[in-house]
Amino acid sequence: MDLSSINPILLVASIMVSATPILLAAIGEMVVEKAGVLNLGVEGMMITGAVVAFAVAVNTGSPILGFAFGAFGAAALSLTFGVLTQILLSNQVATGLGLTLVGLGLSSLIGKPYEGVKAPSLPRLDIPVLSDLPVLGRMIFSHDIMVYLSLLLVVAVWAFLKYTRGGLILRAVGESHDSAHALGYKVVRVRLLAILFGGACAGMGGAYLSLVRVPQWTEGVTAGAGWIALAIVVFASWRAGRVAVGAYLFGGITVLQLNLQAAGAAVPVALLSASPYVITILVLVFISARGMHGAPASLGRPFHASS
Amino acid sequence: MIKLEKRPQPSRLWTVLAPLLAVLLTMVVGGALFWFLGANPFEAIRTIFWDPLFDPQFAPFSRPQLLVKAGPLILIAIGLSIGFRAGIWNIGAEGQYIMGAICGAGAGLALYPSDSVLVFPLMILCGALGGWAWAMIPAILKTRFGTNEILVSLMLVYVAENILASMSSGLLRNPEGMGFPGSRNFKQWEAAHNAELIPNTGMHWGVVFAFICVIGVYVMLTRHIQGFNIRLTGDAPKAARFAGVSPARVVFLCLGLAGALAGLAGLFEVSGPAGQITIDFNSGYGFTAIIVAFLGRLNPIGILLAGLLMALTYIGGELAQLMLGVPGASIQLFQGMLLFFLLGVDVFTNFRIRLTKPELA
């Protein structure tokens, strides 16, 4: 094994790239869960976003349009989840699973003609002055725009939930939908909006996978990233800052195991490939052993105005 | 204005009607999808639902496939349905299916080339144990630490897939396979082959087990105290605790049973229709079984029918792919849509629709 072949600058840079899709999906899902809705369809929305973005980017030549349509497509898909769970009052767990299955089917149907095609790449955004810094510049300040947008989004979500009236209403709906309803807030409307936001974020995350991270369309390209995003929300105890920490930790593990495989570490490849999932389980166990702090009180419970 | 009014009891009529309506809606929307894809919608629906069973040209070949495909789906779905009833969401059946196949096949291959009659029963036992053990991981973590079983069981699918890849190119690789990945083929080893029991029916031991499970679980849920405890835990967890039902025991029972049945399904598949352990041996039965469980209303008899229907969409889908050039992925979407429509239509089961005059504010 040759550890010296791993370049620390490239390592950190690729950790940021590998964390971004999960970060986008997880921050969206956190908002959804803060509103009291458990959407297990993140994987389905992500992969739909991935395929829509890829198709649009290939056909128009514009990755930015790809991201926009990826977010839009996944949000549209999440609306079916919203209608089923909020208006037709179906079981959220079952509907979320259904959303994943539908998303996987839909994406492989749309994506068939795009296998093996190359997508236009997102231009790198060198931040002036900062990107010229000796080591840090290459490491942190010369990525594409989505990496920075995702981090900005975390700050925006944090500020929205903590300091705005809208954020307060959203949290109230998630903690006790009956009280929020009694106060005159539109529970279903708030939740539908949160679900749409979550869908759009997951779609962008998926788009980042197929357009930047991989960058290619293959069936099942998300490989469980949506489920890991769900786990990260639990890991983060429903806090925006910790979601970012979780996503970057996970991105680190993924990149590190890939680098170890490339460096020919004396560990079985299967073990290395499985390590992100195993570590996610271990983290979940560790978090749950301390008790579920911060879960919104109405999480996953259906709301019906008459009751 | 349309208003939903909660029914005191789920409607009996709609419990039966909802899946039928969902199938109908799926056919209509699926037909539109096929039309959009450039196939004649009526021909496509006929090719999927009618031709595999009754077309003189295809039926002799595809009819046996019905049981071959339905067997594992029913076995897995029956196990899952018990957990879903108790509010325990095991969605990692795919992983338990893989581990059952690996353990069962591994136990058999260790005895190669024995021709003892005990080889196959031992494989069955080890297959069930493999799936059971894999399901015990989320069960122990849930009861001991309160870890979410949905995420753990799902993550374990990816771990199992990696183990499968490593096994088929490592430990279980056929030593006479010229270095190609994949184990020895059970079809060429009589003592371990899960052969067709009645020629040209598709009936193998897995299908027999599936039927036995349908009856066994039906009896358990309706006549046995454990079945009552499971249903009570799902419907009224607090009442169950007051009645002295141990939540941990229900978790172990539900996950263990689901895992063992999924493991059995994997073993019967690997030793019969699939024939060998390969890298892509698993084909998503563990996920499709979730649809089967819901479509069958978590009821064993319903699951039997739903499993057959879902098997039909697999076979019909392949036929439509061959005859009409419909993309294979559209069938996956078709199956997903079925679950979606069912969940939507279910509103009629639990709610009454009332038309009311708009209230004056």
Side-chain angles (χ1 to χ4, degrees), chain A residues 242-278:
Chain A
R242 291 196 196 166
V243 165
V245 173
Y248 273 78
L249 263 178
F250 185 83
I253 294 161
T254 314
V255 168
L256 204 62
Q257 66 93 0
L258 284 175
N259 272 292
L260 283 176
Q261 280 190 31
V267 186
V269 174
L271 191 64
L272 283 175
S273 309
S275 62
Y277 309 107
V278 174

Side-chain angles (χ1 to χ4, degrees), chain A residues 26-168:
Chain A
I27 199 75
E29 176 65 15
M30 195 198 82
V31 171
V32 179
E33 292 190 13
K34 272 285 186 193
V37 180
L38 181 64
N39 185 353
L40 290 181
V42 185
E43 179 86 0
M45 300 186 297
M46 263 186 113
I47 201 156
T48 306
V51 75
V52 170
F54 195 83
V56 170
V58 166
N59 286 325
T60 63
S62 157
I64 299 295
L65 266 183
F67 273 100
F69 275 87
F72 181 77
L77 188 69
S78 74
L79 191 62
T80 60
F81 172 86
V83 169
L84 281 173
T85 56
Q86 302 307 309
I87 296 172
L88 298 177
L89 298 162
S90 65
N91 180 311
Q92 292 182 8
V93 175
T95 314
L97 289 176
L99 190 65
T100 292
L101 296 173
V102 167
L104 289 173
L106 188 68
S107 64
S108 53
L109 186 63
I110 301 175
K112 208 70 197 162
Y114 296 96
E115 275 173 7
V117 180
K118 210 175 145 359
S121 58
L122 205 58
R124 220 174 58 200
L125 189 78
D126 289 326
I127 297 179
V129 187
L130 288 176
S131 62
D132 296 332
L133 289 174
V135 174
L136 283 178
R138 293 280 299 127
M139 230 188 230
I140 302 172
F141 298 112
S142 89
H143 286 289
D144 55 76
I145 187 161
M146 289 308 291
V147 171
Y148 306 118
L149 266 185
S150 68
L151 289 169
L152 272 180
L153 195 64
V154 173
V155 177
V157 164
W158 169 75
F160 170 75
L161 288 175
K162 197 170 163 79
Y163 294 115
T164 68
R165 190 177 163 73
L168 189 64

Side-chain angles (χ1 to χ4, degrees), chain A residues 84 89 99 108 224 227 273 288 304, chain B residues 4 145 147 154 158 162 329 344:
Chain A
L84 281 173
L89 298 162
L99 190 65
S108 53
W227 295 103
S273 309
S288 54
H304 186 225
Chain B
L4 295 177
F145 304 108
T147 314
L154 196 276
Y158 293 98
N162 276 302

Side-chain angles (χ1 to χ4, degrees), chain B residues 34 39-51 320 323-324:
Chain B
F34 292 129
N40 179 340
F42 297 102
E43 211 181 326
I45 297 297
R46 199 202 64 215
T47 311
I48 294 173
F49 289 99
W50 184 264
D51 284 358
M323 301 303 296
L324 308 172

Side-chain angles (χ1 to χ4, degrees), chain B residues 237-311:
Chain B
K238 267 190 191 152
R241 209 158 310 166
F242 279 125
V245 179
S246 151
R249 266 189 69 181
V250 173
V251 170
F252 279 112
L253 180 71
C254 291
L255 276 166
L257 209 55
L261 292 184
L264 277 177
L267 176 273
F268 287 124
E269 189 70 15
V270 76
S271 58
Q276 60 177 154
I277 293 271
T278 49
I279 290 177
D280 49 2
F281 150 76
N282 58 316
S283 48
Y285 282 144
F287 293 114
T288 315
I290 297 172
I291 304 179
V292 172
F294 279 109
L295 192 62
R297 326 269 34 201
L298 308 182
N299 172 310
I301 313 289
I303 288 171
L304 177 70
L305 298 173
L308 289 168
L309 180 75
M310 203 55 86

